[in-house]
Amino acid sequence: MTESIAPHAPPPVVGTTLEGLITAGTRGTPGATGEFASLLNSVALAIRIIHTRVRAAGLAGMLGYTGETNVQGEEVQKLDVFANDVLCAVLEKSGRCAMLASEELDEARAMSPTGKYLVAFDPLDGSSNIDVNISIGTIFCVLQAARVSDHLAEGFLQPGTRIVAAGYSVYGSSTSLVLSTGYGVHGFTLDPSVGEFFLSHPNIRCPDRGKTYSVNEGNLGRWDDRVKKWAAWIKSEDKARGLPYGHRYVGSLVADAHRTLLKGGIFAYPADAKSPGGKLRLLYEANPMAYLFEQAGGVATNGVDRILDLVPKGLHDRTPLVLGSKDDVAAYRQFAVGER
Ligand code: AHM
Ligand code: MG
């Protein structure tokens, strides 16, 4: 059976550590062996290690490119490699992970044959912002390795509805970790002096409607007419609907999604003439975010259809991504299907 943080877990209180909440939540769940809690704590450990290197990156000779390109054809930064190595090493040591898939690895990598979980991650999202001290982060999701075939790379080719946990960290003005195991979304802030994540944002709810839109408008000339029409609408004057919306765009999904999750509004990375299938990756960018947004009462689509229903064909599949407040994503959909 799927282990998870149980609905009967004690209500989170401020002063709660991430480890404490995870452990309390799984204790007493029928069939729980502690392996799920142990896996999540391992991911949190990796994030704390990445945090220390990100914080000192300018000093530790960790900025800049390695000279390599990854499977996506993108230039690899030294911190991308470091973050990937840390996650791989920590997950291997945990013994809980059967296979992992990473933005930085061409193929899925086998870990522990007795591991019960599959972990997909983007070790360091927002690579273009690394060298300029702008928020970056780590995104991950966990699937269950329920069947024998799940211990092969094909195990990752499941729809996001099968996710059992997802989260992301933001290495920003503070380091935060946002996590869901299917019973709401909780946000934690790292206290670097004690090296612990403390609960700072219990039960995050994405407002039904926001005031900002987030999209790389430099791509406007490459969008189809329906997306252009939406972009014109959201900037139009309409007091009753609260338009125009303000524009916010960091260029790191973790940062743009985090703001949208907490404050509402809409983030969109539509398909365009350069990236006809979208830019963002389904398995380790769109799916974890979609899971978190749905858990928080928000919505995530590819413009029209629910992200979590999409069945990946490959580890590095891309998708258009539109997420945020339910009213704002619904309005986008009306434009996308030609109803407006
Ligand atoms: P990365 O995983 O290589 O960092 O790329 C993904 C990033 C997202 O964080 C962000 O939403 C998007 O790419 C920004 O793309 P653009 O620079 O085209 O606006
Ligand atoms: Mg990314």
Side-chain angles (χ1 to χ4, degrees):
M1 76 172 288
T2 309
E3 285 182 55
S4 192
I5 291 184
H8 58 261
V13 288
V14 175
T16 306
T17 63
L18 173 67
E19 192 171 348
L21 186 68
I22 290 172
T23 309
T26 50
R27 195 184 296 134
T29 305
T33 58
E35 289 170 82
F36 183 63
S38 162
L39 179 88
L40 294 180
N41 282 320
S42 295
V43 174
L45 169 65
I47 286 171
R48 294 202 304 271
I49 296 171
I50 297 167
H51 148 92
T52 58
R53 195 56 72 94
V54 167
R55 287 286 168 243
L59 299 173
M62 284 300 290
L63 297 183
Y65 295 93
T66 62
E68 310 282 312
T69 52
N70 66 13
V71 64
Q72 336 270 340
E74 300 155 342
E75 288 183 289
V76 174
Q77 301 240 17
K78 292 180 195 166
L79 267 181
D80 285 325
V81 174
F82 176 81
N84 186 60
D85 289 350
V86 167
L87 273 155
C88 292
V90 170
L91 286 171
E92 181 159 36
K93 193 131 186 81
S94 79
R96 313 301 186 202
C97 177
M99 300 276 299
L100 59 79
S102 163
E103 178 179 334
E104 299 304 331
L105 300 173
D106 300 9
E107 309 285 346
R109 184 177 287 180
M111 295 270 121
S112 168
T114 54
K116 293 207 299 205
Y117 297 98
L118 309 173
V119 185
F121 54 83
D122 178 351
L124 208 58
D125 176 62
S127 301
S128 68
N129 282 325
I130 291 176
D131 285 359
V132 288
N133 203 11
I134 292 176
S135 298
I136 50 181
T138 299
I139 312 174
F140 66 94
C141 67
V142 180
L143 293 155
Q144 239 194 328
R147 302 158 302 193
V148 175
S149 60
D150 290 342
H151 291 262
L152 305 169
E154 289 74 46
F156 282 102
L157 307 184
Q158 311 181 34
T161 45
R162 304 235 179 96
I163 287 173
V164 294
Y168 63 83
S169 62
V170 185
Y171 312 109
S173 49
S174 59
T175 291
S176 52
L177 174 59
V178 172
L179 177 72
S180 178
T181 60
Y183 300 105
V185 181
H186 303 300
F188 300 81
T189 301
L190 183 68
D191 181 340
S193 60
V194 287
E196 278 283 5
F197 277 107
F198 288 95
L199 184 67
S200 51
H201 298 71
N203 295 315
I204 294 171
R205 301 300 295 167
C206 181
D208 288 348
R209 191 181 284 190
K211 294 179 179 155
T212 60
Y213 74 106
S214 185
V215 67
N216 183 345
E217 244 170 338
N219 292 331
L220 187 134
R222 297 171 174 156
W223 293 340
D224 73 26
D225 288 344
R226 292 175 177 192
V227 182
K228 285 181 187 163
K229 208 170 161 191
W230 165 79
W233 169 78
I234 207 148
K235 290 193 285 285
S236 66
E237 207 59 62
D238 180 349
K239 245 195 177 127
R241 179 60 175 83
L243 299 178
Y245 275 20
H247 182 245
R248 299 284 184 277
Y249 190 71
V250 176
S252 295
L253 175 62
V254 282
D256 287 314
H258 189 57
R259 182 195 56 252
T260 307
L261 184 71
L262 295 181
K263 297 198 165 182
I266 184 166
F267 167 87
Y269 208 111
D272 60 39
K274 186 179 165 205
S275 312
K279 175 183 177 184
L280 298 176
R281 276 55 61 112
L282 177 58
L283 235 65
Y284 41 80
E285 292 180 322
N287 264 347
M289 289 301 179
Y291 181 82
L292 290 160
F293 271 77
E294 288 200 6
Q295 282 291 320
V299 179
T301 71
N302 60 5
V304 178
D305 299 316
R306 184 185 182 210
I307 288 289
L308 294 182
D309 285 334
L310 304 178
V311 182
K313 292 191 181 63
L315 291 182
H316 302 288
D317 278 10
R318 295 174 190 260
T319 178
L321 178 62
V322 179
L323 53 75
S325 297
K326 70 179 175 48
D327 291 0
D328 294 320
V329 177
Y332 184 103
R333 187 177 189 283
Q334 289 181 324
F335 285 95
V337 298
E339 281 173 16
R340 296 175 75 154

